[in-house]
Amino acid sequence: MPHRTFFWFILPSLTAMLLFIALPIVSVVIQSLHVEHEQVLEVVETCGPFGCTEETRVDTEATRALREAEPLGRFNGLGTYFNRAHLATGELATAWAESDSWGAFGSRVMNLPFYKALAFTLAYTFLVTPLVLVLGLAIALGVNGLPQRLRGVTIFFSLLPMIVTPLIGSLVLFWMIDADGIIGATLQLLFDDPDLSLKASPTLTWLTLFVYGVWHSAPFAFIVFYAGLQTVPEETLEAAMIDGASRWERVRYVVIPHLMPLVVFITLIQLMDNFRVFEPIVGFQAQASATSLSYIIYSDLRGDTQQFGSAAATSVLTILGVAILLTPVLIRTWRDFNRKRV
């Protein structure tokens, strides 16, 4: 394609990426370097029959004028990134110096809000993503082996978790695991423990969120793998059967290699989505036991004292985390592409 033609062909996409991706990221980075202005205080002396008293008040006019003059806030450089609410470098150094074991150091680190959220985010990402891949492929293989008249109905019911809005789905499961819900009541009956609750234990809360993540995302992997299975060469499968390959061997040596581009695609999507986990935490009201980086951003932006600089810093760290997670997959994809070209 001539360079001029290619330029006009790619221009709309480049413009959209610049306006809706690049510029917002730049604005977030700039905002992360600033913090909100503190309120301007003034001392007012009030005199009465019994003498004069001094009272400290907020000078609303001066505060508003300051914020209008510098809407981004006060420049703080990288200070927000290293404070206690984020990377907490000072607290980490203190914990390392005062801890006499790795367990004690880890316990103190997990008391820091950013690292507590990062631990759950990484655990959610690295557990849910592979389980979604395995379960989605298993469902696709099972549905592909069904008689033709049963596939439509099975596909419809298999896609229901993906059709449900994430927040609504998490709320429904939250009510089901309640003590009066069908799952919660059944577990109490099975274990003969009326005080058993999936919401009371942080570990059980994490497991519940993991299960929900797999349940909600597996249909996406299933429908992509199922579409890919329709393109597997029948001649290759028949040749493998003639050579005596079992069903598992055909899946391992024929089907999975054929679906590897789809595996990479689903992995990329799931890594990005799972690293930004948010709705299940809100739906399960699990913030006391499990928080994520996205939930920290949400917490900074709600309430009367919105902390835009803090939310922006967490957003930048989240973007960096997603980039780090995607880098190995993208490098492998690039190498495979170059190998095929050669």
Side-chain angles (χ1 to χ4, degrees):
M1 183 182 296
H3 291 172
R4 183 181 297 274
T5 304
F6 177 76
F7 172 77
W8 289 110
F9 174 77
I10 201 69
L11 182 61
S13 298
L14 288 177
T15 304
M17 293 176 63
L18 179 65
L19 292 177
F20 301 110
I21 298 179
L23 289 181
I25 291 177
V26 171
S27 67
V28 169
V29 172
I30 294 175
Q31 181 64 66
S32 69
L33 302 178
H34 296 76
V35 293
E36 292 69 24
H37 290 293
E38 297 180 354
Q39 294 179 329
V40 179
L41 303 178
E42 61 176 349
V43 178
V44 178
E45 186 178 34
T46 304
C47 296
F50 303 101
C52 297
T53 58
E54 291 185 350
E55 182 181 0
T56 303
R57 297 179 182 177
V58 176
D59 190 340
T60 56
E61 293 295 334
T63 301
R64 182 168 58 250
L66 181 61
R67 292 176 177 176
E68 290 176 354
E70 298 179 349
L72 286 177
R74 176 172 55 84
F75 183 76
N76 192 40
L78 298 178
T80 305
Y81 289 93
F82 300 115
N83 64 14
R84 190 183 189 280
H86 296 90
L87 297 179
T89 53
E91 287 74 8
L92 286 179
T94 302
W96 178 260
E98 297 178 355
S99 300
D100 54 0
S101 65
W102 283 103
F105 176 71
S107 178
R108 296 187 62 168
V109 170
M110 287 300 103
N111 287 328
L112 299 172
F114 177 82
Y115 292 100
K116 181 180 179 181
L118 182 62
F120 173 78
T121 302
L122 292 176
Y124 186 92
T125 301
F126 288 120
L127 283 177
V128 171
T129 300
L131 289 176
V132 165
L133 289 170
V134 173
L135 185 59
L137 179 59
I139 297 174
L141 291 171
V143 172
N144 196 53
L146 291 175
Q148 192 68 34
R149 66 174 183 272
L150 296 179
R151 291 187 186 181
V153 177
T154 306
I155 291 174
F156 172 77
F157 283 104
S158 299
L159 293 179
L160 284 179
M162 187 174 65
I163 296 174
V164 177
T165 305
L167 184 58
I168 300 301
S170 60
L171 282 173
V172 171
L173 188 56
F174 176 78
W175 294 327
M176 292 175 67
I177 65 175
D178 190 75
D180 297 326
I182 182 171
I183 297 179
T186 301
L187 290 175
Q188 290 180 354
L189 182 63
L190 290 176
F191 290 95
D192 193 23
D193 185 0
D195 298 324
L196 179 64
S197 174
L198 293 176
K199 303 175 184 178
S201 169
T203 302
L204 293 178
T205 300
W206 280 38
L207 291 176
T208 304
L209 291 171
F210 295 157
V211 170
Y212 171 79
V214 175
W215 174 82
H216 177 74
S217 300
F220 170 75
F222 151 66
I223 200 64
V224 174
F225 282 137
Y226 180 75
L229 288 175
Q230 312 313 307
T231 66
V232 177
E234 291 293 336
E235 299 81 4
T236 307
L237 289 175
E238 292 174 357
M241 293 177 63
I242 293 174
D243 290 339
S246 63
R247 177 176 175 80
W248 164 244
E249 290 173 333
R250 294 197 301 272
V251 170
R252 180 180 178 183
Y253 296 107
V254 178
V255 175
I256 293 181
H258 181 78
L259 297 179
M260 279 308 297
L262 296 181
V263 172
V264 174
F265 168 72
I266 296 173
T267 301
L268 288 172
I269 299 298
Q270 287 300 307
L271 285 175
M272 290 186 291
D273 285 347
N274 293 333
F275 198 79
R276 296 181 288 106
V277 55
F278 170 72
E279 291 91 345
I281 297 175
V282 177
F284 281 96
Q285 301 178 17
Q287 51 269 26
S289 301
T291 57
S292 66
L293 299 181
S294 296
Y295 188 84
I296 291 180
I297 299 172
Y298 168 73
S299 300
D300 287 338
L301 294 178
R302 68 173 181 173
D304 297 332
T305 57
Q306 296 175 334
Q307 303 177 34
F308 296 105
S310 178
T314 308
S315 299
V316 173
L317 293 174
T318 302
I319 294 172
L320 292 177
V322 172
I324 293 172
L325 287 177
L326 297 185
T327 298
V329 182
L330 294 176
I331 291 176
R332 177 176 178 177
T333 303
W334 178 255
R335 288 176 177 174
D336 291 343
F337 174 73
N338 290 333
R339 191 179 301 115
K340 292 178 180 178
R341 288 178 58 186
V342 175

